[in-house]
Amino acid sequence: MKRQDFYFELPEELIAQDPLEDRSSSRLLVLDKKTGAVSHHVFREITQYLHPGDCLVINDTKVIPARLIGEKEGTGAKVEVLLLKRKENDVWETLVKPGRKMKPGARVSFGDGLLKGQVLDVVEEGNRLIQFSYEGIFEEILDQLGQMPLPPYITHQLEDKNRYQTVYAKHSGSAAAPTAGLHFTPELLKEIRESGVEIAHVTLHVGLGTFRPVKVDDILDHHMHSEFYRIEASEAEKINRAKETGHKVICVGTTSCRTVESAADENGRLRECSGWTDIFIYPGYQFKVLDSLITNFHLPESTLIMLVSALAGREHVLVAYEEAVKERYRFFSFGDAMLIQ
């Protein structure tokens, strides 16, 4: 299967640069995975497709303000550090720009010394292990100094940090938002819950591997980064109950999808668990848990468009994307939504 099989033309002006004022007023394209039929809606009309006994699975990870701008000690040169993965004892795996001068032993200072870091080692793909030192609580300092790590295709400044968080974000650890969840409001979730739909929380901390392009021609040669996930017993039970009673499991976002598919046994049952997943879902994959998917519109040739193609078929997805372009839908993180059912 070739990377270019998942290419489509996208006019640059359709890449959403800013979130809508009302989260639930995004547009919603509904795709029938069996027939390829599409219809056009407003996101808050998602309730028409959720029925009593169904289970909506949401990823309650919280994005940390992981982008830090500092100065290299000795030269004062500007250094950008992106926190990727927490290791231990205030050591983080990071992406550093410019990286070549930040060799082991190099020191960097943030916020006039409020936070300091020293490069310990250079690891896979040129990432740096940095040991941080500070006084007080790391999360509070990060909140004060850090910026939201917006994807590279968003060039506008974000006025309100919370607009790159879901309203149900709870567990800190992501370098990117699970963006399909950005369309939900507390009022919409209340309406869904009151209609008899179960809402199950799972956690997957989204890494920057999400934005990593597929560079190999044969997609089977692509290496996925691993991401940490957790499912609690009560939430696993909600999902299992929907399956057992013949109702649908609807995942909000590719991250929720990858979590439940990683954690399920061969019979599609879930239990309390946590671990790391590097699952790569592409056409030919047999879904064990998920029935329907709420997702945004993804980059051409990305692992995410491959995942939605596994669910709805590559041809159906590319025709639906063509329709979305024609109808001027907004694409990517702050863009419109799609329901594959």
Side-chain angles (χ1 to χ4, degrees):
M1 210 171 302
K2 299 295 181 196
R3 180 190 67 200
Q4 52 267 36
D5 292 340
F6 300 90
Y7 180 77
F8 65 93
E9 288 282 348
L10 179 68
E12 199 173 318
E13 68 269 16
L14 294 186
I15 299 172
Q17 292 294 330
D18 303 289
L20 297 181
E21 198 166 324
D22 173 7
R23 291 173 183 260
S24 63
S25 66
S26 303
R27 295 166 76 189
L28 176 70
L29 184 148
V30 177
L31 170 63
D32 184 317
K33 65 187 183 216
K34 292 193 177 74
T35 67
V38 302
S39 56
H40 304 285
H41 307 267
V42 176
F43 188 80
R44 67 178 72 90
E45 294 170 5
I46 194 79
T47 52
Q48 296 172 18
Y49 299 93
L50 305 173
H51 306 290
D54 287 349
C55 184
L56 188 71
V57 184
I58 59 178
N59 179 9
D60 62 9
T61 187
K62 191 172 188 179
V63 187
I64 58 173
R67 185 169 173 258
L68 291 161
I69 308 295
E71 292 182 353
K72 186 180 178 190
E73 288 189 1
T75 66
K78 182 181 162 187
V79 179
E80 181 180 320
V81 174
L82 200 55
L83 304 178
L84 299 178
K85 224 179 258 182
R86 188 175 222 147
K87 300 295 191 178
E88 67 290 312
N89 301 327
D90 293 316
V91 175
W92 284 76
E93 183 177 337
T94 67
L95 184 64
V96 177
K97 289 185 199 172
R100 65 186 184 283
K101 292 186 178 172
M102 295 299 288
K103 295 182 169 64
R107 295 174 184 273
V108 59
S109 173
F110 309 92
D112 295 325
L114 196 59
L115 180 67
K116 293 185 175 183
Q118 180 176 358
V119 179
L120 300 181
D121 199 2
V122 180
V123 293
E124 189 186 4
E125 297 184 6
N127 292 346
R128 266 68 177 161
L129 290 184
I130 295 183
Q131 168 100 52
F132 289 98
S133 57
Y134 52 90
E135 286 184 14
I137 298 168
F138 183 76
E139 286 73 15
E140 289 180 2
I141 292 168
L142 193 60
D143 207 44
Q144 189 178 333
L145 300 180
Q147 300 171 17
M148 281 300 188
L150 293 177
Y153 46 74
I154 292 178
T155 56
H156 291 191
Q157 276 292 107
L158 186 62
E159 298 296 317
D160 176 4
K161 275 185 188 177
N162 287 327
R163 292 313 310 271
Y164 195 57
Q165 300 280 21
T166 62
V167 296
Y168 45 76
K170 187 176 180 186
H171 302 290
S172 294
S174 274
T179 54
L182 296 178
H183 305 284
F184 288 92
T185 62
E187 296 77 18
L188 186 54
L189 288 166
K190 182 170 182 275
E191 186 183 339
I192 289 166
R193 202 175 275 112
E194 287 175 352
S195 74
V197 174
E198 288 263 37
I199 298 180
H201 291 239
V202 300
T203 306
L204 180 137
H205 292 320
V206 189
L208 283 187
T210 291
F211 305 117
R212 193 163 165 250
V214 178
K215 292 180 177 170
V216 289
D217 284 332
D218 185 339
I219 69 168
L220 300 188
D221 294 332
H222 178 70
H223 167 66
M224 293 285 281
H225 280 188
S226 60
E227 296 167 313
F228 181 78
Y229 72 88
R230 177 183 290 116
I231 302 177
E232 292 179 6
S234 58
E235 309 310 292
E237 192 44 52
K238 290 176 187 176
I239 298 166
N240 290 339
R241 189 160 53 238
K243 297 298 285 182
E244 287 160 8
T245 54
H247 293 95
K248 283 186 174 179
V249 173
I250 304 102
C251 286
V252 177
T254 56
T255 61
S256 299
C257 164
R258 293 177 67 244
T259 303
V260 298
E261 292 297 321
S262 297
D265 66 19
E266 61 275 11
N267 300 314
R269 279 191 65 79
L270 295 166
R271 57 184 173 75
E272 181 170 8
C273 60
S274 64
W276 294 83
T277 179
D278 60 359
I279 190 171
F280 181 14
I281 296 175
Y282 52 84
Y285 179 85
Q286 298 296 312
F287 288 88
K288 300 185 291 244
V289 181
L290 171 145
D291 298 299
S292 301
L293 178 68
I294 297 167
T295 186
N296 279 18
F297 291 93
H298 305 294
L299 279 79
E301 300 183 341
S302 63
T303 60
L304 304 180
I305 195 169
M306 292 168 192
L307 185 154
V308 297
S309 296
L311 181 61
R314 186 181 70 92
E315 293 80 9
H316 287 168
V317 167
L318 290 177
V319 168
Y321 270 53
E322 207 176 291
E323 173 82 358
V325 168
K326 193 178 90 191
E327 294 294 327
R328 313 292 289 173
Y329 273 68
R330 300 160 73 250
F331 275 67
F332 306 163
S333 297
F334 287 140
D336 294 317
M338 182 183 206
L339 168 66
I340 300 173
Q341 59 149 11

